Amino acid sequence: MTFTDWAMSLGGIGFLLLGMGMMTEGLKAAAGDSLRSILERSTQTRMRALVTGFSLTALVQSSSAVIMTTLGFTNAGMLGMRKAAWLVFGSNVGTTMTAWIVALIGLKIRLDMIAMPLIGIGILMHLLIRGGRFKHIGYAMAGFGILFFGLGTLRDAFDSVAEVFPVEQIAAAGLWGVALGILIGAALTMLIQSSSAALAIILTAAVTGVFTPLVGASLVIGANLGTTSTSVLASIGATANAKRLAWVHVSEKIFTGTIALALLWPMWKLADLISDMAGGTIATGLALYHTLFNVLGVLLMWFFAEHLFRFVERMVKQPDLSSETARYLDKTVLSSPVMGVGAMHSEQKRVFKQLLRRGRHILALADDERDGHDEVNTSTLMTKIADFSDELGKVAGMGNQSELYLNLNWALREMRELRLNLNALRKPDANGLHDALGEALVQLLSQLMGSGQLKALSAIERSQLMKAIKAERRTRRKFLLAQLEQGSADATLTTRQLTLIANAEDAAKRVLRVAGVLYPAQEAIATDELAASDIGRPDSDAAADAHPDSAVDAR
C-alpha cells in the first residue's frame, strides 16, 4: 500500500468515527427528556424493545451509536438491564439494513453523493438556527453525512486493504481458512469500530471474487463478534449497570457465533438459495446470511435470555445498598446533561432509600449493626453526588434539564438535613423515643419511611398525612406540657421529649420535600393548599420545640 492508500484508509476511519460521534450527540441533544420517555414507553415488553432497537438502528444506520446510547442510559440508571438488552438484540438485527443498502445500492452509487448534501444542510442548520431542537438535528444530520462520506472513502480504499489481508490464500485453507476469516472479520471491526463499515468492505470484496462464499460467511461471523468491542471499551470505568449490559452483548454474540459456526454450511446454502431465486449476487447472499445470523441470535435469546441475565448478574455485582461505591455516577455520562442528571437522580434515590431504611429501623426500635456503617456511607455518597453535580454544572447547554438539576441539588441539601434529624432521633434509648413520640405519631411517621409507600401516595394524600402528623404533634405536645404543669413529669426530660417530637416532624417534612423531587406525585397541589400545609414552612410550636430554651416563652 502506498502512503496515499494508507491516508485514505485512515481518513475514512476518522470520518466514520467523527460522523458517528456527531450523530449520537446531536440525536441525544435533540431528543432531550423525550428520549428517556420514548425508551421507557418502547421497552415495556421485549417485543416492543426489539422493534424499537431495530427501528432506531435502521434509522441511524449504526448499531454502535444505538448501543452506545443505550449503554449511557443504562449507566445512568435510566434504563434497566433487561429492557436495554432487548434494545441491543433488536439493534443487532437493525444493523443488517446497512448490509442490504451496500449490497443493493451502495455498490452501484457513490455514497459521497448522499453525504455532501447532508453535511452542507446539517452544518448550515447548526450554525444559522440559534437554539432549539432543529439546531441539534442539523448537527446530527451533518454527522450522518460525514458517516456516509467515511464509508465511501473506505470503499474507495478497499483495493489496497485487500492487498494487506491475503483473502485469496484463505480460500484454500479449509477449516483453518474459516477460523482465520472469523479472526480477520473480528479484527477489522475492532480496528474501525464499526460492523457496518466492516460489512461494507466484506461485501465489496465479495463481488470481486477474491474469496469463497464460506470464507465470506466466516468474515460476517467475525464482524459480528468484533462489534462487541465497542460495548467493552465503553464499559471500561463505567458502573456495574453498563458493565452488565456490555457482557450481555458479548455473551449473546459468542453464543450465537458458536451456533452459527456449527451451522455454517446449511445457513449459507439457505441464504445462497434465496439469493439465487431472487436473482442476486454473492453480496446479496452474504447480506442475507448476516440477517439470518442476527435473527438466529434473537431466537436463541428468546429462550435463553433469562439464564444469560442471571449469569451476568452473578458475574458483575452491584454495589450493596449500604456501600459507599456509587452505582450510577461516572465520567462517561457527564458529556450529556440528560444522562448526567438521570444518573444524579438515580443515585439520590438510592441514598434516599438508605435514609428511609434507617428511619424504619429507628421507628421500629430494631437494633441493626449496619446503622453506623450506613451513616458513614450516606454522608460519603452525598459528598460524591455533590462533587458530581459540580462537574455536571460545568457542562454547557443544560437545556430542559436545568429545572430538574436545580431541584435535585435542593433535594440533596434536604437529605443532608434529614440525615441529621434521623441521627438525633436515634440517640435516645428505645423506650425514650416511644415515650416521647407516642404510638399514634410513630404510626403516622412509619407511613413515610418506605419508597414504595411514598410513590403510591398522591399529592393530596401526602398533604393530608403531613397535616395529620402536625395535628398529632400538637396533641402530644399539649399532653407533655400538661404533665409538666401538674408536676408529674421532669422538666429536663420533657424538654428532651419536645425536641425529639420537633425533630420527628422536621424529618417528616424533609422526607416529603425530597419525595416531591425524586418521586413526583401524580396530582399537582394548588398553591394555596401548599401554603396552608406544613410541608414547605415551619410553625411557631415546632420552632419552639426545636429550641427548647425558648419553649416557655414561645408558648
Side-chain angles (χ1 to χ4, degrees):
M1 292 177 68
T2 65
F3 175 78
T4 302
D5 296 328
W6 280 109
M8 285 185 64
S9 299
L10 292 175
I13 295 170
F15 281 126
L16 191 76
L17 299 178
L18 175 63
M20 187 175 297
M22 290 176 61
M23 176 185 62
T24 302
E25 290 303 316
L27 289 173
K28 287 191 296 188
D33 238 358
S34 60
L35 182 56
R36 176 181 180 179
S37 60
I38 290 171
L39 288 175
E40 287 177 343
R41 289 196 307 268
S42 304
T43 56
Q44 295 304 310
T45 66
R46 55 182 177 180
M47 179 57 73
R48 290 175 66 179
L50 276 172
V51 173
T52 301
F54 171 84
S55 302
L56 288 174
T57 306
L59 177 65
V60 304
Q61 288 298 299
S62 173
S63 62
S64 295
V66 174
I67 291 172
M68 289 285 284
T69 303
T70 305
L71 272 170
F73 279 101
T74 307
N75 203 20
M78 301 165 69
L79 201 61
M81 182 194 71
R82 283 166 169 77
K83 293 180 179 180
W86 286 102
L87 270 173
V88 171
F89 300 155
S91 180
N92 291 336
V93 181
T95 196
T96 63
M97 298 303 295
T98 304
W100 285 108
I101 291 173
V102 172
L104 300 176
I105 301 174
L107 298 177
K108 300 179 181 179
I109 66 171
R110 293 190 61 84
L111 290 177
D112 53 11
M113 294 177 62
I114 303 173
M116 293 304 182
L118 287 175
I119 295 172
I121 295 172
I123 291 297
L124 286 174
M125 287 175 63
H126 184 68
L127 294 177
L128 298 179
I129 299 176
R130 291 187 176 273
R133 187 165 296 183
F134 284 101
K135 180 180 180 70
H136 301 302
I137 290 175
Y139 192 72
M141 187 182 296
F144 276 121
I146 294 173
L147 182 69
F148 285 135
F149 185 80
L151 286 172
T153 304
L154 281 173
R155 188 187 64 184
D156 293 339
F158 172 74
D159 290 337
S160 300
V161 174
E163 294 175 4
V164 176
F165 293 97
V167 288
E168 307 94 338
Q169 288 78 18
I170 297 174
L175 292 177
W176 285 108
V178 170
L180 190 56
I182 293 174
L183 292 176
I184 291 174
L188 186 61
T189 304
M190 287 188 285
L191 175 66
I192 61 180
Q193 285 296 292
S194 173
S195 61
S196 298
L199 262 295
I201 293 174
I202 293 169
L203 295 181
T204 306
V207 297
T208 64
V210 295
F211 50 74
T212 64
L214 285 182
V215 172
S218 68
L219 287 167
V220 170
I221 295 175
N224 276 279
L225 294 175
T227 195
T228 60
S229 62
T230 304
S231 300
V232 174
L233 290 174
S235 68
I236 295 176
T239 62
N241 300 294
K243 289 178 180 177
R244 283 178 170 181
L245 183 59
W247 281 111
V248 166
H249 190 206
V250 171
S251 302
E252 182 268 333
K253 286 293 186 182
I254 292 175
F255 184 32
T256 305
T258 301
I259 301 299
L261 183 60
L263 301 175
L264 180 63
W265 176 254
M267 280 183 64
W268 166 250
K269 292 303 294 181
L270 176 61
D272 187 42
L273 176 63
I274 297 174
S275 177
D276 286 343
M277 291 174 61
T281 63
I282 185 175
T284 56
L286 287 175
L288 180 56
Y289 180 83
H290 181 41
T291 302
L292 291 175
F293 177 94
N294 285 288
V295 170
L296 173 65
V298 170
L299 291 175
L300 291 172
M301 289 301 102
W302 197 267
F303 297 101
F304 298 106
E306 197 56 39
H307 299 285
L308 176 60
F309 295 154
R310 287 197 291 268
F311 169 74
V312 171
E313 286 170 345
R314 288 195 300 269
M315 186 173 65
V316 182
K317 298 291 185 182
Q318 280 274 28
D320 187 69
L321 182 66
S322 61
S323 170
E324 64 183 19
T325 303
R327 280 190 182 183
Y328 308 104
L329 307 180
D330 70 69
K331 295 181 180 179
T332 62
V333 296
L334 281 173
S335 60
S336 170
V338 65
M339 292 184 184
V341 172
M344 195 172 158
H345 196 177
S346 298
E347 200 67 57
Q348 283 185 228
K349 285 182 180 178
R350 177 185 170 215
V351 177
F352 189 46
K353 288 178 181 178
Q354 291 184 42
L355 293 173
L356 294 179
R357 184 177 73 177
R358 188 179 306 169
R360 290 196 299 274
H361 286 309
I362 293 170
L363 293 176
L365 308 177
D367 295 329
D368 192 333
E369 297 177 355
R370 297 174 299 177
D371 273 358
H373 182 59
D374 287 348
E375 180 182 341
V376 174
N377 288 329
T378 53
S379 177
T380 302
L381 279 172
M382 283 190 278
T383 300
K384 289 183 178 180
I385 294 171
D387 293 340
F388 181 86
S389 175
D390 291 340
E391 290 296 318
L392 184 61
K394 299 175 184 177
V395 177
M398 191 69 71
N400 57 4
Q401 298 297 306
S402 301
E403 183 177 359
L404 179 56
Y405 172 74
L406 294 175
N407 287 340
L408 287 172
N409 278 283
W410 174 77
L412 183 61
R413 291 193 295 272
E414 289 293 314
M415 287 165 63
R416 290 184 185 276
E417 295 298 322
L418 173 61
R419 174 177 167 271
L420 296 178
N421 291 138
L422 293 175
N423 287 345
L425 292 174
R426 193 169 53 187
K427 288 180 180 178
D429 59 25
N431 293 328
L433 183 61
H434 258 215
D435 289 343
L437 300 183
E439 288 302 323
L441 187 55
V442 168
Q443 290 301 317
L444 288 171
L445 291 171
S446 66
Q447 297 180 44
L448 296 177
M449 297 302 168
S451 58
Q453 293 169 294
L454 284 172
K455 285 186 280 188
L457 293 175
S458 68
I460 294 176
E461 289 171 333
R462 293 179 185 184
S463 179
Q464 291 173 341
L465 180 57
M466 191 63 238
K467 288 179 180 178
I469 290 173
K470 180 180 180 181
E472 182 57 34
R473 192 267 305 162
R474 283 177 171 168
T475 300
R476 189 65 183 169
R477 186 176 188 274
K478 289 179 181 179
F479 172 76
L480 293 175
L481 288 176
Q483 283 190 321
L484 182 61
E485 291 173 358
Q486 294 169 5
S488 58
D490 179 74
T492 302
L493 176 61
T494 300
T495 300
R496 291 174 181 171
Q497 290 175 329
L498 290 174
T499 303
L500 287 173
I501 293 173
N503 272 309
E505 185 180 6
D506 284 344
K509 291 177 181 178
R510 291 195 166 95
V511 166
L512 288 173
R513 290 171 189 164
V514 175
V517 176
L518 301 184
Y519 308 115
Q522 294 180 357
E523 301 93 346
I525 305 178
T527 304
D528 57 344
E529 187 177 348
L530 265 176
S533 74
D534 296 304
I535 298 177
R537 62 180 179 86
D539 62 33
S540 59
D541 287 348
D545 292 344
H547 301 281
D549 292 338
S550 61
V552 177
D553 294 337
R555 186 60 184 167

